[in-house]
Amino acid sequence: MKWLLPLLVCLCLCVRVAAQDPEFPKNEFIMHLRLHSGLVTDFKSSPDLFTGGLQVVPQFTVVENRLRIGLVAGGFYTNKKVQALAGPTMSVKLKTISLKQFGSGGNINLCIDHLWGTGRQRLFGGGINVELLNFIVVGATLHRDYNLSSWWLQGSLAFRISKVKQVPHP
């Protein structure tokens, strides 16, 4: 029973901090246009294949200040072919980047994807993203193609293409 009071105090503080956090706001729809490039490798043979492409990533906040889910759809170039891939994605906010008096400068989030490609690719993996000023996202990802037994290592640069929802001031 001694632990109940400290647990309640921690819970209240967490709820208060989350209520002040402007990142991943309630019911937010966000869409990014992502440019990605990297390599496809099996870590055994060489040369490794280049991959690069363009994706659209619409997401919706389902847990305020914590979780967004959505889709990834786009095209990519690898092995002298242009192909497509699509699948679900999820972003979990790890940390808000605070700029003290200026508020939030962005967030650091973990993304998890499961993507299916037109060339029998079956990718599962994720990465880390740094979202800055609610406009630009820089990220690095690692996906395992469990169908073709390869790894996809990529870097990405994304820009927000959806409108920013204006919050009315009291």
Side-chain angles (χ1 to χ4, degrees):
M1 208 59 175
K2 291 180 185 180
W3 54 268
L4 187 58
L5 183 60
L7 180 65
L8 287 174
V9 170
C10 279
L11 184 62
C12 289
L13 288 174
C14 289
V15 168
R16 184 169 183 240
V17 169
Q20 297 171 349
D21 191 352
E23 300 297 322
F24 286 47
K26 185 178 183 180
N27 297 326
E28 179 189 43
F29 172 78
I30 189 168
M31 186 180 304
H32 290 108
L33 182 64
R34 178 170 35 193
L35 178 65
H36 63 90
S37 68
L39 60 98
V40 178
T41 182
D42 62 3
F43 293 112
K44 295 175 187 160
S45 61
S46 65
D48 297 325
L49 296 174
F50 166 80
T51 184
L54 197 60
Q55 299 172 336
V56 176
V57 186
Q59 291 184 317
F60 187 78
T61 303
V62 291
V63 177
E64 185 177 10
N65 304 117
R66 204 45 71 197
L67 178 69
R68 290 192 301 225
I69 60 170
L71 299 171
V72 175
F76 66 96
Y77 174 82
T78 192
N79 201 20
K80 299 181 183 178
K81 296 178 189 168
V82 175
Q83 300 175 54
L85 55 78
T89 187
M90 177 173 69
S91 294
V92 179
K93 187 186 75 163
L94 302 175
K95 179 169 179 41
T96 296
I97 301 169
S98 176
L99 297 179
K100 305 292 181 200
Q101 295 88 354
F102 300 108
S104 171
N107 68 73
I108 299 171
N109 65 68
L110 177 71
C111 68
I112 301 166
D113 309 317
H114 193 203
L115 308 171
W116 293 272
T118 55
R120 297 187 344 252
Q121 297 90 353
R122 304 291 181 265
L123 305 176
F124 182 77
I128 192 92
N129 292 316
V130 178
E131 193 171 332
L132 300 169
L133 303 174
N134 205 10
F135 176 68
I136 192 167
V137 181
V138 179
T141 60
L142 174 65
H143 290 86
R144 173 71 175 156
D145 186 337
Y146 57 87
N147 191 40
L148 301 176
S149 298
S150 61
W151 291 90
W152 291 47
L153 291 91
Q154 299 179 82
S156 64
L157 179 65
F159 299 95
R160 182 176 182 150
I161 57 174
S162 60
K163 289 185 178 183
V164 177
K165 184 178 177 182
Q166 298 298 322
V167 178
H169 294 288

